Amino acid sequence: MTPSDTPTDDRRDPAPLLELAGFSKSFAGFRALDGVSLTLRQGEVHALLGENGAGKSTLIKCMTGVVHRDAGTLRLDGALIAPRSAAEATQAGIATVYQEVNLAPNLSVAQNLFLGRQPTRFGLVREGEMRRRAAAVLAGFDLHIDVAAPLESYSVAVQHIVAIARAVDQSARVLILDEPTASLDAHEVEILFAVMRKLKARGIGIVFVTHFLDQVYAICDRITVLRNGRLAGSATTAELPRLDLVKMMLGRELAHATAERAPAAASGEAAGEREAAFAAFEGYGKAGYVAPFDLALRPGHVVGLAGLLGSGRTETTRLVFGAATADTGTATVDGAKVALASPAEALHLGFGYCPEERKTEGIVAELTVRENIVLALQAKRGALKPLSRREQDEIAARFIRLLDIRPPDPERPIGLLSGGNQQKALLARWLATEPRLLILDEPTRGIDVGAHAEIIALIRRLCADGMALLVVSSELEEIVTYADEVIVLRDRHHVARLTGEDVTVPGILAAIAADVPAGEQAA
């Protein structure tokens, strides 16, 4: 099915709640949006999808007045509106809740709910009244918590609900949820979905941005897809099969990178398994952080870390990279004991690390793509051996071309790139150091389908070239396609080691749920 064949849904009954028509926006000659239109109906959950860089964020910013659009009209209940800021959009009835909740974590739940509109008497805030109102508002979302407690004392899911409740209490009729589930576990997602269903029943229209297709089909009534700043298609969810949706998003047939296990990984005696471990960890751990574990890392061998959120996956990677310091056990590289007291030492040993939180722990948003790519290599060389500008340009150009980083502008601030392209630039940073071990923590989280497939293909290619990889992933269907072995974690213990034909999704799930004491070391 070509983009022109994509199913559309142009019914105008009931009347649209929100209408965007012909939205266009350019930045320094780059066309971010090109004549995009979208219709949202009352009491509808509408998915806004597309690859990273497709124009979703720009569309939202233009809708809410954060960015001034070059062309297009916006109607709410049939009336033309033109908000010039997020505050004006909220006043008009359009509110946005972002992935990183934009509230004050040190203030109480009640203070966050009524920030800027606290009930007062004689110029003083009526704390008791504010708390009473806050509890009543949250009760409407089946959320019964201590509203006097700091917001930061609650989970991300609860913080999202508080942000949604604040928006709705400010008379929002249109709610834009920008990747609210990216950091939530399955139970927290269901809690959020229950809130969304309540809002839907109240007639509020919801624009839902996500990369999780399962969630789209679980909660959304209609889907609009953007591609390269243009409208690729719109359809009711029931009318749009998943394969057609993926094709609409990519504009090409998806290479099913996660469809089956790679031949080398499927073999219990893969080439990497026969190689001697160049890095080994025995009884390695940190009290209150991760229980002691054994881990062997071999050239051309991928070790996957699987488990529920909070199981100790990220903590394991941080210990291996020296970002946290072990207080028990030994680490050896090429047979010699090493301290791994800091990331700098790990870097000089040939380790690289792409963290899960790329925006806060990975990229330096204000620096250019070039500067971000050469950062680790310069650190490895030291301040006395600076990379020349010619070397920097050559390295950046090579990896931009190799990883297809878009737009291919080395001098563009990396903070302006999409999530998938930021992730590619982070990979380029560590590949430039020619690492022996590359640690990837959730390398495909929060990125689009196309970049997802490209990164999986890159993992396989690096493995084939002899690099050792330690990969954390919540996507079990993904991890079984490339891992030679999978370490399963639970309650910050390594509880199982699966290899060869045992590396399957059912096998991993069984290990996670097994009735085995968490303190029992993986076999």
Side-chain angles (χ1 to χ4, degrees):
M1 180 165 50
T2 64
S4 60
D5 297 326
T6 54
T8 59
D9 186 2
D10 293 326
R11 291 172 293 177
R12 295 285 177 170
D13 187 20
L17 171 63
L18 186 75
E19 282 186 289
L20 290 74
F23 268 39
S24 295
K25 179 64 183 177
S26 295
F27 297 98
F30 173 70
R31 194 79 158 176
L33 291 177
D34 188 2
V36 173
S37 298
L38 181 148
T39 300
L40 176 69
R41 299 188 178 116
Q42 185 175 339
E44 174 182 74
V45 180
H46 193 127
L48 178 61
L49 306 180
E51 292 190 83
N52 283 316
K56 303 185 300 294
S57 295
T58 303
L59 183 66
I60 291 171
K61 290 175 181 177
C62 288
M63 288 170 59
T64 55
V66 175
V67 169
H68 178 72
R69 59 187 180 272
D70 299 332
T73 59
L74 179 64
R75 294 178 182 271
L76 181 63
D77 277 333
L80 279 171
I81 61 171
R84 293 169 295 180
S85 66
E88 284 193 14
T90 300
Q91 291 171 3
I94 304 173
T96 305
V97 175
Y98 294 97
Q99 178 181 342
E100 288 86 14
V101 177
N102 190 24
L103 295 177
N106 58 313
L107 298 183
S108 72
V109 172
Q111 287 170 327
N112 272 282
L113 269 173
F114 291 99
L115 192 62
R117 54 197 187 98
Q118 301 95 327
T120 60
R121 176 178 292 170
F122 306 121
L124 300 176
V125 175
R126 301 171 61 193
E127 290 286 347
E129 175 66 12
M130 184 169 65
R131 292 174 185 175
R132 184 190 65 77
R133 286 194 201 174
V137 168
L138 295 180
F141 294 88
D142 288 334
L143 185 61
H144 304 279
I145 59 175
D146 180 4
V147 297
L151 182 68
E152 63 188 356
S153 65
Y154 292 105
S155 69
V156 175
V158 169
Q159 292 181 33
H160 274 294
I161 294 172
V162 171
I164 291 170
R166 172 181 165 83
V168 173
D169 195 56
Q170 289 177 296
S171 302
R173 303 199 53 216
V174 173
L175 185 63
I176 303 169
L177 301 181
D178 191 2
E179 300 213 44
T181 61
S183 302
L184 307 185
D185 61 27
H187 175 65
E188 291 171 327
V189 169
E190 280 305 315
I191 293 173
L192 181 62
F193 280 6
V195 169
M196 291 169 67
R197 293 184 183 103
K198 284 181 177 291
L199 297 176
K200 177 180 174 179
R202 291 166 62 173
I204 292 174
I206 301 173
V207 177
F208 180 45
V209 181
T210 182
H211 287 299
F212 299 106
L213 300 189
D214 286 347
Q215 296 178 7
V216 170
Y217 283 90
I219 193 71
C220 297
D221 302 294
R222 284 198 301 148
I223 300 169
T224 289
V225 177
L226 301 185
R227 187 173 68 247
N228 297 327
R230 297 182 178 182
L231 179 66
S234 183
T236 62
T237 308
E239 293 174 344
L240 187 58
R242 295 189 185 214
L243 287 179
D244 291 343
L245 172 57
V246 169
K247 183 178 177 182
M248 190 190 294
M249 292 170 66
L250 299 179
R252 61 184 185 274
E253 294 292 348
L254 175 67
H256 293 287
T258 62
E260 59 184 37
R261 194 151 154 74
S267 170
E269 290 295 328
E273 184 73 36
R274 293 193 297 269
E275 291 276 0
F278 84 90
F281 301 81
E282 296 182 3
Y284 209 65
K286 179 179 176 66
Y289 196 68
V290 179
F293 60 85
D294 295 341
L295 180 64
L297 299 165
R298 302 175 173 86
H301 193 81
V302 182
V303 176
L305 298 179
L308 301 177
L309 289 177
S311 61
R313 300 168 305 174
T314 293
E315 289 80 2
T316 296
T317 65
R318 290 176 61 83
L319 278 180
V320 171
F321 192 62
T325 305
D327 56 19
T328 184
T330 60
T332 59
V333 175
D334 293 326
K337 284 187 178 181
V338 295
L340 281 176
S342 69
E345 183 172 351
L347 176 61
H348 285 287
L349 289 169
F351 294 6
Y353 180 50
C354 290
E356 177 182 8
E357 298 296 337
R358 62 174 172 264
K359 290 187 180 297
T360 56
E361 298 179 2
I363 66 168
V364 183
E366 297 79 11
L367 298 185
T368 66
V369 173
R370 168 183 55 82
E371 291 167 327
N372 271 274
I373 288 176
V374 302
L375 201 58
L377 180 58
Q378 183 60 72
K380 186 175 182 179
R381 288 179 53 154
L384 298 180
K385 295 181 180 180
L387 289 163
S388 70
R389 180 56 187 265
R390 181 181 59 80
E391 290 175 305
Q392 293 182 36
D393 289 341
E394 290 176 352
I395 292 168
R398 175 157 57 94
F399 283 104
I400 287 172
R401 182 173 61 253
L402 177 66
L403 300 182
D404 190 25
I405 297 173
R406 291 179 282 174
D409 178 6
E411 300 311 308
R412 188 178 182 85
I414 197 171
L416 299 181
L417 269 60
S418 66
N421 285 294
Q422 289 176 358
Q423 186 74 351
K424 290 179 185 179
L426 269 183
L427 286 166
R429 173 191 297 173
W430 294 106
L431 293 178
T433 68
E434 299 182 351
R436 301 174 68 187
L437 166 67
L438 186 57
I439 304 166
L440 305 176
D441 192 350
E442 298 283 11
T444 61
R445 170 169 285 181
I447 64 175
D448 61 75
V449 177
H452 187 285
E454 290 172 3
I455 288 174
I456 291 175
L458 177 63
I459 289 172
R460 288 175 171 166
R461 190 162 66 245
L462 295 173
C463 178
D465 289 342
M467 189 181 294
L469 289 106
L470 180 62
V471 185
V472 174
S473 180
S474 299
E475 301 294 331
L476 301 187
E477 293 83 356
E478 168 192 307
I479 205 168
V480 300
T481 67
Y482 53 69
D484 297 286
E485 68 177 275
V486 172
I487 305 297
V488 179
L489 293 92
R490 185 172 67 247
D491 298 331
R492 303 204 176 189
H493 289 74
H494 290 215
V495 297
R497 175 177 179 265
L498 308 178
T499 61
E501 295 181 354
D502 292 332
V503 179
T504 63
V505 172
I508 295 172
L509 289 174
I512 292 173
D515 187 15
V516 177
E520 188 171 309
Q521 178 66 34

